[in-house]
Amino acid sequence: MPLSIDLPGKSVKDQPLAQYLSKALMERRKLVKLEVDFIPQVRAKWEGILSDRATDRERAENAINACYLYAGLERSRILWTENPLTAMTILINRPDLVDVGKKILHQICDGCDWEIERQIEPDFIDVVKAYANPRAQIVGEAQLMAYDLLGDFLNQVSIAEIQKSYPQMNPALLPTAMQDYRIAYLSYFDYFHQIGLDIPQIQLLVELARSCGCCWAFENITIITPKPSAIDFNDRGELISLVYDGINILK
């Protein structure tokens, strides 16, 4: 049975002005103890998502179609590729593709940021950014928000491998995969959605994170990879194995 995703409305545009202003003037609050105690549960949820190696193509396609629809875009043709290297090869040879990934992310995430920042005190936002994210680096009392390091590494490795065949390639001209937002932002947004803030649109990206690997969004076509079947890090936390269909693409 196809996954049904209810598209949330775009709340700011649809609100009466008086209602919007009353919300904008709302005093930002602290998190109560029950909400703080819920942070480790969200962290554990995202640790589970990171370790889940199962790809669900139908779920991923429903999620990306819903993302396009929410951003006001026509749904695109979906192309599954073997791994990020294959996807990068396609991107190198298709400079005509019009990237819409940033538009989708902005449409979904900007409203989340606005809703959180107008309601929650900044110090509590920083704590959630650090402690809900399984890949954040926490040193002493400093909470550092880390991006999806695996996603960044995937891009770097793919670009390095592609440059062997295309030495004149300018990496800056390549579009960025949408998974760059996944761990750092999605664990943070997902937490606030789960404690009741009005940001249900984030579930569109959560569905995508659960069901596939990398994703590049363009007008008329979306390029998606499955999740790697195995990932291994060494003692220094460096990625040493990234396996697709039994092949470690890092070798």
Side-chain angles (χ1 to χ4, degrees):
M1 180 182 296
L3 175 71
S4 175
I5 299 179
D6 293 328
L7 288 176
K10 298 180 182 177
S11 56
V12 173
K13 292 182 179 179
D14 297 335
Q15 290 180 62
L17 180 59
Q19 181 182 356
Y20 171 77
L21 289 176
S22 67
K23 284 188 175 183
L25 296 173
M26 182 186 301
E27 183 177 351
R28 292 192 287 184
R29 68 176 180 85
K30 300 177 180 179
L31 297 176
V32 300
K33 183 179 184 303
L34 186 64
E35 292 170 329
V36 173
D37 291 343
F38 184 62
I39 295 174
Q41 295 183 45
V42 175
R43 184 183 183 94
K45 170 184 175 178
W46 282 93
E47 286 175 342
I49 291 174
L50 288 174
S51 62
D52 181 7
R53 303 270 53 89
T55 297
D56 187 331
R57 294 195 176 208
E58 183 178 17
R59 189 176 189 177
E61 290 179 10
N62 285 330
I64 195 63
N65 285 336
C67 285
Y68 272 73
L69 183 57
Y70 185 79
L73 300 167
E74 295 290 331
R75 56 190 293 181
S76 70
R77 180 169 69 91
I78 295 174
L79 174 64
W80 285 87
T81 60
E82 297 171 336
N83 57 55
L85 294 182
T86 305
M88 285 287 186
T89 302
I90 294 172
L91 297 181
I92 284 292
N93 291 286
R94 289 295 307 274
D96 57 306
L97 294 176
V98 178
D99 186 8
V100 297
K102 290 182 179 179
K103 178 176 181 178
I104 291 172
L105 291 174
H106 284 310
Q107 287 283 346
I108 294 174
C109 297
D110 286 357
C112 296
D113 266 327
W114 181 85
E115 193 72 24
I116 293 166
E117 290 174 3
R118 77 176 183 83
Q119 291 195 47
I120 307 297
E121 286 192 2
D123 287 347
F124 285 88
I125 292 175
D126 290 341
V127 168
V128 174
K129 284 179 178 179
Y131 287 93
N133 175 6
R135 290 198 176 125
Q137 301 173 6
I138 303 169
V139 182
E141 296 182 357
Q143 293 91 32
L144 305 178
M145 183 179 179
Y147 285 85
D148 182 353
L149 301 181
L150 175 59
D152 291 343
F153 197 89
L154 274 173
N155 282 334
Q156 292 168 17
V157 169
S158 299
I159 288 171
E161 289 298 316
I162 292 298
Q163 280 184 314
K164 294 176 183 178
S165 300
Y166 299 91
Q168 304 304 318
M169 179 194 72
N170 181 359
L173 299 180
L174 287 175
T176 302
M178 285 177 61
Q179 89 277 5
D180 287 351
Y181 263 63
R182 291 201 181 174
I183 306 310
Y185 283 94
L186 293 190
S187 56
Y188 155 59
F189 290 145
D190 189 33
Y191 167 82
F192 284 109
H193 168 64
Q194 291 192 57
I195 67 167
L197 272 68
D198 185 22
I199 51 173
Q201 69 269 29
I202 202 58
Q203 287 303 110
L204 305 179
L205 295 180
V206 173
E207 284 293 308
L208 203 59
R210 284 184 178 278
S211 54
C212 67
C214 300
C215 176
W216 290 264
F218 305 96
E219 287 183 357
N220 305 319
I221 190 170
T222 306
I223 299 173
I224 307 180
T225 74
K227 293 182 180 181
S229 55
I231 298 174
D232 289 312
F233 296 85
N234 62 22
D235 293 339
R236 298 186 298 276
E238 298 166 338
L239 188 64
I240 58 174
S241 178
L242 193 62
V243 179
Y244 292 84
D245 292 330
I247 300 172
N248 181 5
I249 68 172
L250 303 189
K251 292 184 177 180

